[in-house]
Amino acid sequence: MKPMHGNGGAAAPARPAPFQPVAEQAQVEAYSSEIRQLARERNAIILAHNYQLPEVQDVADFVGDSLGLSLEAQKSGAERIIFCGVHFMAEAAKILNPEKRVFLPHIAAGCSLADSISPESLEDWMERYPHHTVMTYINSSAEVKALSYICCTSANAVSVARSLPSDKILFTPDRNLGQWVAHQVPEKEFAIYDGVCPTHDVLRGANVKKTRDEHPDCVIIAHPECRQDVLELADEICSTAAMLEKVALYPETKTFLVATENGIVHQMRKRYPDKEFILADGCIGCRLHCPYMKVTDLSHVLRALEEEVFEINVPGDVADGARQALERMMAVPRD
Ligand code: SF4
């Protein structure tokens, strides 16, 4: 069979037919079984974010949010981590597991939010707010983390802010998450950087209201990267992992409007097959779609195992600084 990717002239191993964007079930099964076998042979763990393609989620050993994936990477005894997510997540896994080899299956899996803040722009804000403690969302580069006192995820941001001894916080880089945290922690003063996740920021309250009007008995679950006008309409505001738990709190509710990237709906439907999950913009895959999360398909996961690409490494001094910020976060007990 003709391989999809070059392998430097070595004899091509037999593998399933080239992967198509809309995968046939037989092809998914062929790729998945080869991936699972290679992962065993190479002592690799496959981690997938909740926003990945459904078939990538299904082939993974663990599916979760940024915090869950970081914790899983730390406790795994595997020699290799295949990180099906975006670059900053694989970087965080490497920083927390320097002895393991970490691979990102697709080199173009970046993040607009992480790219919205550079070390130079953070230093500029730090000069403007010299008495503020820098608290940085995990959706950021290793260099930016290394300049920060502490990291947070959407799952623990409120607990992290409350835990800080300082009453002045410079929150970076997500403006919407920062404003939501500031609202939960009114006893502290926040300066908030002006980055956003375009996948979440594009959603407007008016779209959510329109969709809700079509499903008047629904429960709205939103990610805190959404704008304030969306969050004001939400019944639950939480990380993707917590969204899966929150559904169980509404046994009488049939329909849920989901205000986050569409990949989470796959896990929701698996866990709650009797419920109905609708994207909050009423348009599956149109706006609530992260192009970076969706570049990785099963052929890339297979190639990562076979060809050991793309290995993520972080320079020692940067990794040390970023690790401190991440470990401070992980030491904070959840409220
Ligand atoms: Fe980055 Fe937003 Fe995509 Fe997450 S959904 S990877 S924050 S662009």
Side-chain angles (χ1 to χ4, degrees), residues 49 51 86 88-89 110-114 137 139 174 196-200 225 261 289-293:
H49 191 270
Y51 296 161
V86 293
F88 73 80
M89 296 177 175
C111 168
S112 297
L113 175 58
Y137 191 28
N139 299 30
D174 190 86
V196 290
C197 160
T199 302
H200 289 88
E225 284 173 30
E261 210 276 347
H289 170 95
C290 172
Y292 306 106
M293 283 286 185

Side-chain angles (χ1 to χ4, degrees), residues 168-221:
K168 288 182 180 1
I169 296 173
L170 170 55
F171 186 94
T172 79
D174 190 86
R175 182 182 64 215
N176 295 334
L177 177 63
Q179 287 173 349
W180 178 70
V181 174
H183 188 69
Q184 311 295 308
V185 190
E187 66 275 20
K188 305 219 176 194
E189 181 186 319
F190 283 78
I192 299 171
Y193 192 82
D194 57 0
V196 290
C197 160
T199 302
H200 289 88
D201 197 62
V202 73
L203 186 62
R204 295 293 189 271
N207 300 105
V208 180
K209 267 188 202 149
K210 184 167 175 282
T211 314
R212 184 195 58 192
D213 290 347
E214 292 160 14
H215 306 276
D217 299 325
C218 72
V219 164
I220 301 176
I221 304 183

Side-chain angles (χ1 to χ4, degrees), residues 28 41 92 129 135 146 148 187 198 217 220 240 245 284 307 317:
V28 167
E41 287 170 15
Y129 297 98
M135 173 176 162
S148 307
E187 66 275 20
D217 299 325
I220 301 176
T240 52
E245 308 300 328
I284 290 274
E307 300 177 22
D317 53 335

Side-chain angles (χ1 to χ4, degrees), residues 95 98 142 145-146 314-328:
I95 290 163
K145 289 184 179 80
V314 184
D317 53 335
V318 174
D320 290 346
R323 189 177 306 111
Q324 268 201 333
L326 285 163
E327 286 179 349
R328 283 194 185 110

